[in-house]
Amino acid sequence: MNHPNIKVPPPGPKAKELVERDHNVISSSYGRWYPLVVERAEDCIIWDVDGNSYIDFNSGLVVMNVGHNHPRIVKAVKEQVEKLIHYSNTDFYYREAIELAEELTKITPGNFPKKVFFGNSGAEAVEAAIKAIKWHTRRPRIIGYIGAFHGRTMGALSITASKPIYRDHFFPMMPGVTHVPFPYCYRCPFKMEYPSCGLYCVDFIEEQVLNKYIPPDEVGAFFFEPIQGEGGYVVPPPKYFQKLKKLADKYDIKIVSDEVQAGMGRAGKWFAIEHWSVEPDVISSAKGIASGFPLGAMISRAELQEWDKGAHASTFGGNPVSARVALEVIRIIREEKLLDNATKVGEHIMKRLNEFKDDYAVVGDVRGKGLMIGMELVKNKETKEPAKEIAHDVMIDSWKNGVAVITAGISTIRIAPPLTITSELADKALDIIENSIKKVMKEREVK
Ligand code: PLP
């Protein structure tokens, strides 16, 4: 069948009815981008309840890296649920969690002994990282980044700094977090240019933060996303993390790479930090790790997880079904060479988006690694004023025409299809997005 296939202008009648019921009973704190009610999915295609099919540029929010309902995942789930569904990993042992931990210690960067903690989500992986850092270093402070998203539980939220709404009415949070500017070169917080800046943003941390008001020996770790996700798909420049790591080493500060969104092959490597050839002390992973089953993992240098019994644990964390699925995800990524595919198709998409940048006044910046790609829309390429409404309209029009896509940051179209996507299917989606850009520019009379 030919996809996308829009039979009924979305939202159709069934979608409308379900959305109304949803609003009566489900928390209004959920973001919801548009009234898409998904009924089934296969690889890179999703169907709504009215029978429309769409190309999925969201991967169910950067989760379905091996594609929706991969037959090997479905088979693994069936086999596992017939064998063992749960037997608290906090209290006893089972093979699936052990085998998965062994694999995770192999695919994460760094040829040193590692250990793994399992939770159920990205935020829990970040919470585990905070606790491991505090327990081990006995240092009470953390340095995080402006624009970062690490989750919404109170510890993770204390480091999150991508939108005020996430923090509104929740103050005070965990004390001891200091935020520094992220290397967002298109909008450099220091109004400098790479590479002539000499990566001043790292010097700033030492000169203005560690030397002036945050005693370095109180800082346990730098927490960062190697590529900011929620914050706008922002890719730091070459050598950034190498320089940060040197600074961290100087003061014996650990580095924590939050790879919940950028990891598990998304950026064309197992973990995005590999693009900078830096070996973090801790990695947090979730989202793509178990193809939609709840799982978060905190993988660290082994000594960081030599702590007292009971210091941290989770009843469901690393349950056998999620763990078995995650093992299958790793095998699929390996056997189907999805890191290579993400790199190849990602380069193809970047090439086309850069053509959009040449052709359309609203496309200000294109950036990404693998299949984690952002196209930032602006009102004016000189002033770089973010085109929030235009990005919104492009997102909605693309959806109505068969591409499920959302934004990140203020006005960045985020492109994160399953790693299985072909260039041909990506092109179809990009044609639709391009038409939406043209249409919205015309409607809003942008020249
Ligand atoms: N860390 C990063 C980088 C994320 O992108 C997210 C979610 O988007 C989280 C943590 C939180 O993950 P979860 O929603 O599974 O708690």
Side-chain angles (χ1 to χ4, degrees), residues 335-360:
E335 288 163 30
E336 296 188 6
K337 300 195 172 20
L338 295 184
L339 302 183
D340 292 344
N341 194 60
T343 304
K344 187 183 87 187
V345 182
E347 279 167 8
H348 175 76
I349 294 176
M350 290 276 284
K351 188 165 163 277
R352 279 211 57 192
L353 294 182
N354 275 307
E355 288 163 12
F356 292 4
K357 191 166 109 180
D358 294 337
D359 292 345
Y360 303 109

PDB file of all heavy atoms in Angstrom, residues 335-360:
ATOM      1  N   GLU A 335      22.359  -6.417  13.774  1.00  0.00           N
ATOM      2  CA  GLU A 335      22.215  -7.298  12.604  1.00  0.00           C
ATOM      3  C   GLU A 335      21.640  -6.570  11.398  1.00  0.00           C
ATOM      4  O   GLU A 335      21.990  -6.882  10.269  1.00  0.00           O
ATOM      5  CB  GLU A 335      21.365  -8.526  12.981  1.00  0.00           C
ATOM      6  CG  GLU A 335      22.160  -9.469  13.881  1.00  0.00           C
ATOM      7  CD  GLU A 335      21.284 -10.482  14.620  1.00  0.00           C
ATOM      8  OE1 GLU A 335      20.235 -10.864  14.075  1.00  0.00           O
ATOM      9  OE2 GLU A 335      21.669 -10.888  15.746  1.00  0.00           O
ATOM     10  N   GLU A 336      20.781  -5.585  11.648  1.00  0.00           N
ATOM     11  CA  GLU A 336      20.226  -4.841  10.510  1.00  0.00           C
ATOM     12  C   GLU A 336      21.077  -3.604  10.187  1.00  0.00           C
ATOM     13  O   GLU A 336      20.672  -2.773   9.375  1.00  0.00           O
ATOM     14  CB  GLU A 336      18.769  -4.449  10.799  1.00  0.00           C
ATOM     15  CG  GLU A 336      17.864  -5.664  10.931  1.00  0.00           C
ATOM     16  CD  GLU A 336      16.373  -5.325  11.038  1.00  0.00           C
ATOM     17  OE1 GLU A 336      15.995  -4.144  10.904  1.00  0.00           O
ATOM     18  OE2 GLU A 336      15.591  -6.261  11.271  1.00  0.00           O
ATOM     19  N   LYS A 337      22.212  -3.491  10.839  1.00  0.00           N
ATOM     20  CA  LYS A 337      23.158  -2.380  10.588  1.00  0.00           C
ATOM     21  C   LYS A 337      22.446  -1.013  10.631  1.00  0.00           C
ATOM     22  O   LYS A 337      22.583  -0.178   9.736  1.00  0.00           O
ATOM     23  CB  LYS A 337      23.854  -2.575   9.239  1.00  0.00           C
ATOM     24  CG  LYS A 337      24.644  -3.876   9.169  1.00  0.00           C
ATOM     25  CD  LYS A 337      25.584  -3.886   8.009  1.00  0.00           C
ATOM     26  CE  LYS A 337      26.547  -5.050   7.978  1.00  0.00           C
ATOM     27  NZ  LYS A 337      26.241  -6.254   8.741  1.00  0.00           N
ATOM     28  N   LEU A 338      21.694  -0.822  11.698  1.00  0.00           N
ATOM     29  CA  LEU A 338      20.882   0.390  11.769  1.00  0.00           C
ATOM     30  C   LEU A 338      21.701   1.645  12.098  1.00  0.00           C
ATOM     31  O   LEU A 338      21.273   2.751  11.791  1.00  0.00           O
ATOM     32  CB  LEU A 338      19.727   0.207  12.767  1.00  0.00           C
ATOM     33  CG  LEU A 338      18.697  -0.855  12.365  1.00  0.00           C
ATOM     34  CD1 LEU A 338      17.543  -0.894  13.353  1.00  0.00           C
ATOM     35  CD2 LEU A 338      18.175  -0.618  10.952  1.00  0.00           C
ATOM     36  N   LEU A 339      22.890   1.458  12.686  1.00  0.00           N
ATOM     37  CA  LEU A 339      23.721   2.650  12.915  1.00  0.00           C
ATOM     38  C   LEU A 339      24.153   3.207  11.563  1.00  0.00           C
ATOM     39  O   LEU A 339      24.114   4.420  11.330  1.00  0.00           O
ATOM     40  CB  LEU A 339      24.949   2.311  13.771  1.00  0.00           C
ATOM     41  CG  LEU A 339      24.685   1.706  15.160  1.00  0.00           C
ATOM     42  CD1 LEU A 339      25.998   1.485  15.918  1.00  0.00           C
ATOM     43  CD2 LEU A 339      23.767   2.608  15.989  1.00  0.00           C
ATOM     44  N   ASP A 340      24.537   2.295  10.663  1.00  0.00           N
ATOM     45  CA  ASP A 340      24.935   2.735   9.318  1.00  0.00           C
ATOM     46  C   ASP A 340      23.759   3.364   8.593  1.00  0.00           C
ATOM     47  O   ASP A 340      23.901   4.381   7.910  1.00  0.00           O
ATOM     48  CB  ASP A 340      25.440   1.542   8.478  1.00  0.00           C
ATOM     49  CG  ASP A 340      26.748   0.997   9.028  1.00  0.00           C
ATOM     50  OD1 ASP A 340      27.386   1.705   9.836  1.00  0.00           O
ATOM     51  OD2 ASP A 340      27.119  -0.133   8.655  1.00  0.00           O
ATOM     52  N   ASN A 341      22.587   2.732   8.741  1.00  0.00           N
ATOM     53  CA  ASN A 341      21.418   3.283   8.038  1.00  0.00           C
ATOM     54  C   ASN A 341      21.067   4.672   8.571  1.00  0.00           C
ATOM     55  O   ASN A 341      20.757   5.580   7.799  1.00  0.00           O
ATOM     56  CB  ASN A 341      20.214   2.344   8.168  1.00  0.00           C
ATOM     57  CG  ASN A 341      19.116   2.715   7.193  1.00  0.00           C
ATOM     58  OD1 ASN A 341      19.325   2.707   5.980  1.00  0.00           O
ATOM     59  ND2 ASN A 341      17.963   3.108   7.704  1.00  0.00           N
ATOM     60  N   ALA A 342      21.145   4.822   9.896  1.00  0.00           N
ATOM     61  CA  ALA A 342      20.830   6.140  10.482  1.00  0.00           C
ATOM     62  C   ALA A 342      21.801   7.194   9.936  1.00  0.00           C
ATOM     63  O   ALA A 342      21.395   8.316   9.608  1.00  0.00           O
ATOM     64  CB  ALA A 342      20.922   6.080  12.003  1.00  0.00           C
ATOM     65  N   THR A 343      23.066   6.824   9.805  1.00  0.00           N
ATOM     66  CA  THR A 343      24.061   7.775   9.298  1.00  0.00           C
ATOM     67  C   THR A 343      23.767   8.109   7.832  1.00  0.00           C
ATOM     68  O   THR A 343      23.742   9.282   7.445  1.00  0.00           O
ATOM     69  CB  THR A 343      25.481   7.162   9.428  1.00  0.00           C
ATOM     70  OG1 THR A 343      25.656   6.806  10.796  1.00  0.00           O
ATOM     71  CG2 THR A 343      26.552   8.133   9.000  1.00  0.00           C
ATOM     72  N   LYS A 344      23.508   7.060   7.046  1.00  0.00           N
ATOM     73  CA  LYS A 344      23.303   7.254   5.605  1.00  0.00           C
ATOM     74  C   LYS A 344      22.027   8.069   5.326  1.00  0.00           C
ATOM     75  O   LYS A 344      22.073   9.091   4.653  1.00  0.00           O
ATOM     76  CB  LYS A 344      23.204   5.867   4.936  1.00  0.00           C
ATOM     77  CG  LYS A 344      23.171   5.923   3.424  1.00  0.00           C
ATOM     78  CD  LYS A 344      22.995   4.554   2.814  1.00  0.00           C
ATOM     79  CE  LYS A 344      21.503   4.262   2.721  1.00  0.00           C
ATOM     80  NZ  LYS A 344      21.106   2.948   2.315  1.00  0.00           N
ATOM     81  N   VAL A 345      20.921   7.627   5.897  1.00  0.00           N
ATOM     82  CA  VAL A 345      19.657   8.339   5.627  1.00  0.00           C
ATOM     83  C   VAL A 345      19.689   9.728   6.281  1.00  0.00           C
ATOM     84  O   VAL A 345      19.178  10.698   5.723  1.00  0.00           O
ATOM     85  CB  VAL A 345      18.433   7.507   6.089  1.00  0.00           C
ATOM     86  CG1 VAL A 345      17.135   8.231   5.773  1.00  0.00           C
ATOM     87  CG2 VAL A 345      18.430   6.133   5.434  1.00  0.00           C
ATOM     88  N   GLY A 346      20.340   9.810   7.447  1.00  0.00           N
ATOM     89  CA  GLY A 346      20.467  11.109   8.126  1.00  0.00           C
ATOM     90  C   GLY A 346      21.203  12.109   7.243  1.00  0.00           C
ATOM     91  O   GLY A 346      20.785  13.270   7.111  1.00  0.00           O
ATOM     92  N   GLU A 347      22.282  11.650   6.593  1.00  0.00           N
ATOM     93  CA  GLU A 347      23.033  12.562   5.707  1.00  0.00           C
ATOM     94  C   GLU A 347      22.169  12.994   4.526  1.00  0.00           C
ATOM     95  O   GLU A 347      22.207  14.150   4.104  1.00  0.00           O
ATOM     96  CB  GLU A 347      24.318  11.881   5.212  1.00  0.00           C
ATOM     97  CG  GLU A 347      25.416  11.962   6.257  1.00  0.00           C
ATOM     98  CD  GLU A 347      26.608  11.048   5.973  1.00  0.00           C
ATOM     99  OE1 GLU A 347      26.666  10.448   4.876  1.00  0.00           O
ATOM    100  OE2 GLU A 347      27.475  10.944   6.877  1.00  0.00           O
ATOM    101  N   HIS A 348      21.391  12.043   4.027  1.00  0.00           N
ATOM    102  CA  HIS A 348      20.502  12.367   2.907  1.00  0.00           C
ATOM    103  C   HIS A 348      19.468  13.429   3.331  1.00  0.00           C
ATOM    104  O   HIS A 348      19.244  14.416   2.614  1.00  0.00           O
ATOM    105  CB  HIS A 348      19.804  11.078   2.439  1.00  0.00           C
ATOM    106  CG  HIS A 348      18.784  11.321   1.381  1.00  0.00           C
ATOM    107  ND1 HIS A 348      19.121  11.578   0.064  1.00  0.00           N
ATOM    108  CD2 HIS A 348      17.424  11.403   1.446  1.00  0.00           C
ATOM    109  CE1 HIS A 348      18.014  11.791  -0.632  1.00  0.00           C
ATOM    110  NE2 HIS A 348      16.974  11.682   0.178  1.00  0.00           N
ATOM    111  N   ILE A 349      18.889  13.232   4.509  1.00  0.00           N
ATOM    112  CA  ILE A 349      17.888  14.201   4.986  1.00  0.00           C
ATOM    113  C   ILE A 349      18.536  15.576   5.201  1.00  0.00           C
ATOM    114  O   ILE A 349      17.994  16.611   4.803  1.00  0.00           O
ATOM    115  CB  ILE A 349      17.214  13.699   6.294  1.00  0.00           C
ATOM    116  CG1 ILE A 349      16.384  12.435   6.015  1.00  0.00           C
ATOM    117  CG2 ILE A 349      16.345  14.781   6.927  1.00  0.00           C
ATOM    118  CD1 ILE A 349      15.757  11.790   7.250  1.00  0.00           C
ATOM    119  N   MET A 350      19.724  15.573   5.801  1.00  0.00           N
ATOM    120  CA  MET A 350      20.423  16.842   6.061  1.00  0.00           C
ATOM    121  C   MET A 350      20.691  17.588   4.741  1.00  0.00           C
ATOM    122  O   MET A 350      20.589  18.808   4.674  1.00  0.00           O
ATOM    123  CB  MET A 350      21.758  16.588   6.770  1.00  0.00           C
ATOM    124  CG  MET A 350      21.629  16.111   8.193  1.00  0.00           C
ATOM    125  SD  MET A 350      21.404  17.447   9.369  1.00  0.00           S
ATOM    126  CE  MET A 350      23.066  18.063   9.455  1.00  0.00           C
ATOM    127  N   LYS A 351      21.057  16.809   3.706  1.00  0.00           N
ATOM    128  CA  LYS A 351      21.348  17.431   2.408  1.00  0.00           C
ATOM    129  C   LYS A 351      20.093  18.133   1.884  1.00  0.00           C
ATOM    130  O   LYS A 351      20.143  19.287   1.469  1.00  0.00           O
ATOM    131  CB  LYS A 351      21.809  16.334   1.432  1.00  0.00           C
ATOM    132  CG  LYS A 351      22.325  16.846   0.125  1.00  0.00           C
ATOM    133  CD  LYS A 351      23.097  15.749  -0.614  1.00  0.00           C
ATOM    134  CE  LYS A 351      23.262  16.119  -2.069  1.00  0.00           C
ATOM    135  NZ  LYS A 351      22.102  15.795  -2.910  1.00  0.00           N
ATOM    136  N   ARG A 352      18.974  17.425   1.974  1.00  0.00           N
ATOM    137  CA  ARG A 352      17.730  18.046   1.479  1.00  0.00           C
ATOM    138  C   ARG A 352      17.320  19.248   2.327  1.00  0.00           C
ATOM    139  O   ARG A 352      16.887  20.272   1.811  1.00  0.00           O
ATOM    140  CB  ARG A 352      16.595  17.016   1.459  1.00  0.00           C
ATOM    141  CG  ARG A 352      16.689  16.159   0.212  1.00  0.00           C
ATOM    142  CD  ARG A 352      15.344  15.686  -0.262  1.00  0.00           C
ATOM    143  NE  ARG A 352      14.362  16.718  -0.542  1.00  0.00           N
ATOM    144  CZ  ARG A 352      13.076  16.477  -0.738  1.00  0.00           C
ATOM    145  NH1 ARG A 352      12.624  15.235  -0.674  1.00  0.00           N
ATOM    146  NH2 ARG A 352      12.235  17.453  -1.007  1.00  0.00           N
ATOM    147  N   LEU A 353      17.502  19.130   3.638  1.00  0.00           N
ATOM    148  CA  LEU A 353      17.103  20.259   4.500  1.00  0.00           C
ATOM    149  C   LEU A 353      18.010  21.465   4.239  1.00  0.00           C
ATOM    150  O   LEU A 353      17.568  22.616   4.304  1.00  0.00           O
ATOM    151  CB  LEU A 353      17.156  19.864   5.972  1.00  0.00           C
ATOM    152  CG  LEU A 353      16.154  18.784   6.423  1.00  0.00           C
ATOM    153  CD1 LEU A 353      16.298  18.524   7.914  1.00  0.00           C
ATOM    154  CD2 LEU A 353      14.720  19.180   6.114  1.00  0.00           C
ATOM    155  N   ASN A 354      19.264  21.191   3.922  1.00  0.00           N
ATOM    156  CA  ASN A 354      20.144  22.315   3.600  1.00  0.00           C
ATOM    157  C   ASN A 354      19.726  22.983   2.292  1.00  0.00           C
ATOM    158  O   ASN A 354      19.907  24.195   2.125  1.00  0.00           O
ATOM    159  CB  ASN A 354      21.607  21.861   3.562  1.00  0.00           C
ATOM    160  CG  ASN A 354      22.207  21.893   4.965  1.00  0.00           C
ATOM    161  OD1 ASN A 354      22.144  22.914   5.658  1.00  0.00           O
ATOM    162  ND2 ASN A 354      22.760  20.778   5.414  1.00  0.00           N
ATOM    163  N   GLU A 355      19.142  22.188   1.383  1.00  0.00           N
ATOM    164  CA  GLU A 355      18.577  22.811   0.163  1.00  0.00           C
ATOM    165  C   GLU A 355      17.382  23.686   0.539  1.00  0.00           C
ATOM    166  O   GLU A 355      17.220  24.784   0.008  1.00  0.00           O
ATOM    167  CB  GLU A 355      18.163  21.727  -0.850  1.00  0.00           C
ATOM    168  CG  GLU A 355      19.371  21.065  -1.502  1.00  0.00           C
ATOM    169  CD  GLU A 355      19.040  19.726  -2.196  1.00  0.00           C
ATOM    170  OE1 GLU A 355      17.833  19.396  -2.378  1.00  0.00           O
ATOM    171  OE2 GLU A 355      19.998  19.012  -2.527  1.00  0.00           O
ATOM    172  N   PHE A 356      16.580  23.200   1.504  1.00  0.00           N
ATOM    173  CA  PHE A 356      15.449  24.038   1.971  1.00  0.00           C
ATOM    174  C   PHE A 356      16.013  25.369   2.516  1.00  0.00           C
ATOM    175  O   PHE A 356      15.431  26.416   2.310  1.00  0.00           O
ATOM    176  CB  PHE A 356      14.670  23.376   3.119  1.00  0.00           C
ATOM    177  CG  PHE A 356      13.880  22.136   2.764  1.00  0.00           C
ATOM    178  CD1 PHE A 356      13.924  21.573   1.500  1.00  0.00           C
ATOM    179  CD2 PHE A 356      13.068  21.525   3.727  1.00  0.00           C
ATOM    180  CE1 PHE A 356      13.198  20.437   1.198  1.00  0.00           C
ATOM    181  CE2 PHE A 356      12.335  20.390   3.426  1.00  0.00           C
ATOM    182  CZ  PHE A 356      12.408  19.836   2.167  1.00  0.00           C
ATOM    183  N   LYS A 357      17.127  25.248   3.223  1.00  0.00           N
ATOM    184  CA  LYS A 357      17.714  26.459   3.826  1.00  0.00           C
ATOM    185  C   LYS A 357      18.091  27.467   2.729  1.00  0.00           C
ATOM    186  O   LYS A 357      17.901  28.666   2.887  1.00  0.00           O
ATOM    187  CB  LYS A 357      18.948  26.066   4.656  1.00  0.00           C
ATOM    188  CG  LYS A 357      19.466  27.184   5.530  1.00  0.00           C
ATOM    189  CD  LYS A 357      20.439  26.674   6.567  1.00  0.00           C
ATOM    190  CE  LYS A 357      21.834  27.115   6.234  1.00  0.00           C
ATOM    191  NZ  LYS A 357      22.824  26.653   7.205  1.00  0.00           N
ATOM    192  N   ASP A 358      18.609  26.932   1.615  1.00  0.00           N
ATOM    193  CA  ASP A 358      18.946  27.833   0.506  1.00  0.00           C
ATOM    194  C   ASP A 358      17.694  28.426  -0.133  1.00  0.00           C
ATOM    195  O   ASP A 358      17.695  29.567  -0.585  1.00  0.00           O
ATOM    196  CB  ASP A 358      19.713  27.066  -0.592  1.00  0.00           C
ATOM    197  CG  ASP A 358      21.077  26.602  -0.097  1.00  0.00           C
ATOM    198  OD1 ASP A 358      21.584  27.211   0.868  1.00  0.00           O
ATOM    199  OD2 ASP A 358      21.617  25.630  -0.669  1.00  0.00           O
ATOM    200  N   ASP A 359      16.623  27.634  -0.146  1.00  0.00           N
ATOM    201  CA  ASP A 359      15.439  28.025  -0.927  1.00  0.00           C
ATOM    202  C   ASP A 359      14.394  28.822  -0.155  1.00  0.00           C
ATOM    203  O   ASP A 359      13.603  29.533  -0.768  1.00  0.00           O
ATOM    204  CB  ASP A 359      14.743  26.766  -1.478  1.00  0.00           C
ATOM    205  CG  ASP A 359      15.601  26.067  -2.528  1.00  0.00           C
ATOM    206  OD1 ASP A 359      16.557  26.703  -3.016  1.00  0.00           O
ATOM    207  OD2 ASP A 359      15.328  24.891  -2.835  1.00  0.00           O
ATOM    208  N   TYR A 360      14.341  28.647   1.170  1.00  0.00           N
ATOM    209  CA  TYR A 360      13.220  29.253   1.910  1.00  0.00           C
ATOM    210  C   TYR A 360      13.704  30.210   2.999  1.00  0.00           C
ATOM    211  O   TYR A 360      14.567  29.857   3.824  1.00  0.00           O
ATOM    212  CB  TYR A 360      12.329  28.172   2.537  1.00  0.00           C
ATOM    213  CG  TYR A 360      11.816  27.220   1.483  1.00  0.00           C
ATOM    214  CD1 TYR A 360      12.290  25.917   1.413  1.00  0.00           C
ATOM    215  CD2 TYR A 360      10.907  27.657   0.530  1.00  0.00           C
ATOM    216  CE1 TYR A 360      11.853  25.056   0.420  1.00  0.00           C
ATOM    217  CE2 TYR A 360      10.466  26.805  -0.476  1.00  0.00           C
ATOM    218  CZ  TYR A 360      10.947  25.507  -0.526  1.00  0.00           C
ATOM    219  OH  TYR A 360      10.525  24.670  -1.523  1.00  0.00           O
TER     220      TYR A 360
END
